[in-house]
Amino acid sequence: MAGLKLSSEALVQNELLKYSILKTESGCNQKVIERKDPELTELRLRQPARVEVKVEVLYTLLDQENRPVSPESLVNIPDAPLTVNVWTEKRRYRQGEHIVVFVRGNKPFYGRVVSINPQGIKFLLLPNEFRPDNFFEGGKNYQIPDEDQGDRFDFTVGEPPYGREQIVVFASSVPQGDLLTAPIAGGVISEFPGTREALDLSVRNLQVTPGAGAGSEADFIEATWTIETSP
């Protein structure tokens, strides 16, 4: 048996409820991203055993009329929960066309930008060899690639296979854990060789170091943008 306790949070501006985070003890969407079972000796001795589970709880943002709130409407509100938008100039690209990715958050955050092609290969666009800093300021648009910021690669639709490509931004209020990648394209960018599940777990390994009176909590958000590529 396991218990789940979550608190609610709300932001009020000009006597209007701008958003509320709906967090309930029942009916929450939960995703187990890591589990540590007890040692066999604990079970044999029939002593109380501890099962450690790392769970991600998905919540819904509602406005004052109980309607879902889109991230686009919160990205300019610094007091809202960490919100990040990712987008490109269009949804469909053909062979040879250049792709520019834009990222914007409502408050400062640490982020990784990953492109997952139709084959499931995961390319780490940012940080990279020439642009190692993955700290983003809030309320500011960033673009990838950006030669002025140090990028030394072109994000271009190349050879097949074509199809659906995802651009994912993993953002957090504290630094993320190490991500084991292999350099490609002459070391300009890198590739994550593991599964999507392994990638999700790795980026969620946050480096939380609470100070005096602080808790061990951190904001984390995953933003996804999908494009279609063709010949």
Side-chain angles (χ1 to χ4, degrees):
M1 299 179 64
L4 175 64
K5 293 184 179 180
L6 296 171
S7 60
S8 62
E9 180 180 346
L11 170 67
V12 178
Q13 291 183 344
N14 299 325
E15 299 182 355
L16 294 176
L17 180 62
K18 292 296 183 181
Y19 72 84
S20 61
I21 301 179
L22 181 63
K23 296 180 177 179
T24 61
E25 293 195 19
S26 61
C28 286
N29 293 322
Q30 303 174 44
K31 177 182 178 182
V32 177
I33 57 178
E34 187 177 14
R35 171 174 171 163
K36 183 178 179 182
D37 291 319
E39 298 290 340
L40 184 59
T41 53
E42 295 181 76
L43 298 177
R44 285 179 174 175
L45 295 174
R46 295 189 177 183
Q47 297 295 322
R50 174 180 295 180
V51 178
E52 297 181 5
V53 182
K54 184 181 293 186
V55 178
E56 187 172 78
V57 178
L58 308 179
Y59 55 79
T60 302
L61 295 176
L62 303 175
D63 64 11
Q64 60 268 33
E65 298 181 3
N66 289 327
R67 297 174 302 186
V69 179
S70 66
E72 290 79 11
S73 62
L74 295 176
V75 75
N76 294 315
I77 304 178
D79 293 332
L82 177 60
T83 303
V84 175
N85 286 350
V86 54
W87 72 95
T88 56
E89 294 177 332
K90 55 184 182 178
R91 287 282 191 172
R92 297 181 180 274
Y93 290 86
R94 303 190 67 173
Q95 183 181 25
E97 288 191 295
H98 296 276
I99 303 172
V100 178
V101 179
F102 298 93
V103 178
R104 180 185 179 93
N106 67 325
K107 60 179 67 178
F109 67 94
Y110 297 87
R112 285 191 171 98
V113 182
V114 179
S115 172
I116 306 177
N117 73 5
Q119 288 182 307
I121 300 176
K122 306 156 196 69
F123 300 103
L124 182 62
L125 303 180
L126 191 70
N128 57 59
E129 179 67 21
F130 296 94
R131 191 177 173 184
D133 187 11
N134 68 332
F135 179 78
F136 297 77
E137 297 179 11
K140 178 180 178 180
N141 288 352
Y142 291 84
Q143 73 175 51
I144 306 164
D146 187 343
E147 186 175 346
D148 293 339
Q149 296 297 321
D151 291 329
R152 295 294 181 268
F153 68 92
D154 287 326
F155 192 16
T156 307
V157 180
E159 300 297 326
Y162 302 111
R164 178 173 298 181
E165 182 150 349
Q166 285 189 329
I167 301 168
V168 186
V169 178
F170 301 99
S172 56
S173 57
V174 297
Q176 301 170 15
D178 295 333
L179 190 65
L180 298 179
T181 59
I184 60 173
V188 177
I189 61 174
S190 58
E191 174 189 346
F192 181 78
T195 63
R196 177 61 192 270
E197 290 75 15
L199 174 63
D200 289 346
L201 179 59
S202 296
V203 296
R204 284 166 172 77
N205 185 19
L206 306 180
Q207 301 175 13
V208 181
T209 54
S216 58
E217 300 176 352
D219 291 335
F220 183 91
I221 188 171
E222 177 181 320
T224 302
W225 179 263
T226 303
I227 61 175
E228 293 283 342
T229 61
S230 62

